């Protein structure tokens, strides 16, 4: 069986006298995929990203958190070390995530409902779901 391209298969590549030869990089770029839907993949990824719903605390947990904040306030001069778990709302979609912040309390602003940490980060009291500290272990609650 004869190859139908046998007459041209061994001919040299054509080189134009008018145009310079395209680099391999530029030639390859001609065949790269075309992104007709720019931003589509990032929108799909954003939609697929999971967020948590903010948990509504019952009155007992709120009272316990309030008592712990009062204890921290009473010992604020000691700059107590705490571990605070709080809800951080997502900026792009409904819901958010829970973060745990570890550090030393610098100040509690009751008017703004903010706990200021030693590193100047701020935690909204309304977003707190849990507070832990060695400070609470050393105190005996009276009943």
């Amino acid at each position: 069986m004869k190859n139908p391209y046998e007459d041209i298969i061994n001919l040299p590549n054509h080189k134009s006298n008018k145009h310079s030869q395209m680099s391999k990089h530029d030639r390859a770029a001609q065949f790269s995929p075309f992104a007709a839907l720019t931003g589509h993949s990032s929108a799909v990824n954003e939609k697929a990203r999971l967020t948590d719903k903010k948990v509504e605390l019952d009155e007992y947990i709120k009272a316990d958190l309030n008592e712990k904040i009062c204890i921290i306030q009473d010992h604020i001069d000691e700059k107590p070390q705490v571990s605070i778990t709080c809800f951080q709302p997502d900026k792009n979609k409904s819901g958010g995530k829970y973060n745990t912040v570890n550090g030393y309390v610098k100040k509690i602003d009751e008017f703004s409902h903010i706990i200021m940490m030693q590193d100047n980060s701020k935690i909204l009291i309304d977003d707190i779901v849990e507070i832990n500290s060695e400070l609470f272990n050393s105190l005996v609650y009276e009943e």
Side-chain angles (χ1 to χ4, degrees):
M1 176 179 239
K2 187 176 177 182
N3 187 339
Y5 299 106
E6 192 171 337
D7 59 332
I8 62 171
I9 202 152
N10 292 320
L11 291 177
N13 289 338
H14 172 73
K15 292 189 180 177
S16 173
N17 295 331
K18 294 181 184 176
H19 304 287
S20 61
Q21 191 171 5
M22 187 181 289
S23 71
K24 288 183 181 182
H25 181 267
D26 290 342
R27 183 159 168 73
Q30 293 183 89
F31 302 102
S32 64
F34 173 66
L37 301 173
T38 57
H40 177 69
S41 64
S42 61
V44 169
N45 290 339
E46 175 63 22
K47 189 71 174 175
R49 188 172 54 87
L50 299 176
T51 57
D52 294 323
K53 289 186 178 183
K54 185 176 181 180
V55 175
E56 290 298 321
L57 304 176
D58 66 28
E59 295 304 315
Y60 297 109
I61 296 174
K62 287 181 183 179
D64 184 53
L65 289 173
N66 189 45
E67 187 173 346
K68 288 179 176 180
I69 291 170
C70 289
I71 292 169
I72 293 169
Q73 181 67 42
D74 291 343
H75 294 85
I76 201 76
D77 294 336
E78 302 167 22
K79 304 262 189 270
Q81 185 174 9
V82 296
S83 176
I84 299 175
T85 302
C86 58
F87 183 77
Q88 181 181 3
D90 194 288
K91 294 176 183 171
N92 298 325
K93 59 196 289 188
S94 64
K97 63 181 179 177
Y98 286 93
N99 290 329
T100 300
V101 177
N102 297 303
Y104 298 92
V105 177
K106 179 178 175 181
K107 177 183 175 183
I108 297 176
D109 186 344
E110 294 176 29
F111 180 74
S112 300
H113 293 265
I114 292 175
I115 294 179
M116 175 87 70
M117 301 300 284
Q118 192 72 28
D119 64 358
N120 290 327
S121 62
K122 297 176 182 176
I123 301 169
L124 288 173
I125 291 174
D126 294 338
D127 290 339
I128 296 173
V129 295
E130 185 177 353
I131 304 174
N132 293 307
S133 176
E134 291 293 322
L135 181 63
F136 309 136
N137 298 341
S138 63
L139 298 174
V140 177
Y141 294 102
E142 294 180 19
E143 293 186 27

